[in-house]
Amino acid sequence: HSGTILEIGPFSKPQFAGPHVAYFDVLDAEQIRVEAERQAQSCEHIPAFIDYVERDVALGDISRKFDIVYSSHAIEHTPDVYGHMQSVHKLLGERGRYFLAIPDKRYCFDHYKAPSTTADAIAAHQTGQKECPLDLWIERYTHGSHNDSVRHWAGDHGPPPNQVNAAKIITAMGEYEDEAKRAKMSPHIWFFT
């Protein structure tokens, strides 16, 4: 493809490379390398340079236009989906396209969580949601399932969640109240099928 591409969230496994590709991530290349090593992931394909790092520039502040914007497993972490879509729209050229790789909640650890609605997205935008709300942070622990997609496809979703589990709620509250952990961790906010 000879057009320009912006890849959102390449982390250690970008889908595109070459002179016409730019990257946007919440971490710079060195931070990605450190985090990938911590997670025992290969560092072989980490981009040498992240063109736009969220702490330095908001997605909507990028002045270039792109033929393609590609986002891999990032939209489910985005506090304001509606605002995100508006920002991407500004980045696209006249015939530009936006492609997303999104986890299907039915086949990952989000299995037992209620699907997100249009009303949820509008409310998040109208209220200026900037981070994962406390209720979803708690549900991360109280409504989580295993993350083995093969088991999910086979119909094994693990035991249904116990909504009143004090230990899990206390853990979630402790993380949420710790600003450093809240800044580093990024739970899923949106649950798609």
Side-chain angles (χ1 to χ4, degrees):
H1 185 273
S2 61
T4 56
I5 300 172
L6 176 65
E7 182 169 347
I8 299 172
F11 192 60
S12 65
K13 299 175 185 169
Q15 299 300 302
F16 300 94
H20 301 290
V21 178
Y23 301 108
F24 178 92
D25 209 308
V26 296
L27 304 173
D28 63 30
E30 183 54 33
Q31 290 170 320
I32 290 173
R33 181 170 307 284
V34 168
E35 186 60 20
E37 287 173 353
R38 188 187 73 75
Q39 294 179 24
Q41 292 187 19
S42 170
C43 295
E44 181 181 354
H45 300 291
I46 294 174
F49 182 73
I50 301 297
D51 302 86
Y52 307 102
V53 179
E54 186 175 46
R55 70 173 179 266
D56 301 324
V57 63
L59 189 62
D61 295 334
I62 298 171
S63 58
R64 288 180 60 190
K65 296 281 187 185
F66 296 91
D67 298 307
I68 293 173
V69 174
Y70 173 79
S71 174
S72 179
H73 292 263
I75 193 88
E76 65 273 15
H77 301 278
T78 305
D80 178 2
V81 171
Y82 186 84
H84 173 81
M85 294 293 186
Q86 288 177 322
S87 295
V88 169
H89 179 72
K90 292 177 187 175
L91 295 173
L92 292 172
E94 185 178 322
R95 298 183 65 179
R97 298 287 183 262
Y98 185 27
F99 297 93
L100 299 103
I102 303 171
D104 185 324
K105 74 165 217 75
R106 298 171 295 179
Y107 305 104
C108 72
F109 50 76
D110 294 326
H111 179 83
Y112 289 112
K113 296 172 186 168
S116 299
T117 67
T118 303
D120 296 332
I122 293 169
H125 182 71
Q126 289 299 109
T127 60
Q129 184 168 287
K130 301 278 187 236
E131 60 184 25
C132 181
L134 177 59
D135 61 332
L136 295 181
W137 201 284
I138 292 170
E139 279 192 7
R140 173 176 182 236
Y141 286 93
T142 61
H143 287 71
S145 178
H146 63 78
N147 204 32
D148 184 334
S149 60
V150 174
R151 285 175 55 197
H152 282 296
W153 275 99
D156 172 8
H157 310 298
N162 178 354
Q163 294 183 19
V164 183
N165 183 319
K168 289 182 178 182
I169 292 171
I170 290 168
T171 298
M173 294 290 296
E175 285 181 357
Y176 189 82
E177 291 170 2
D178 182 332
E179 285 187 41
K181 283 188 178 177
R182 218 168 57 235
K184 185 174 182 173
M185 299 173 74
S186 182
H188 289 182
I189 300 171
W190 305 101
F191 312 106
F192 302 105
T193 59

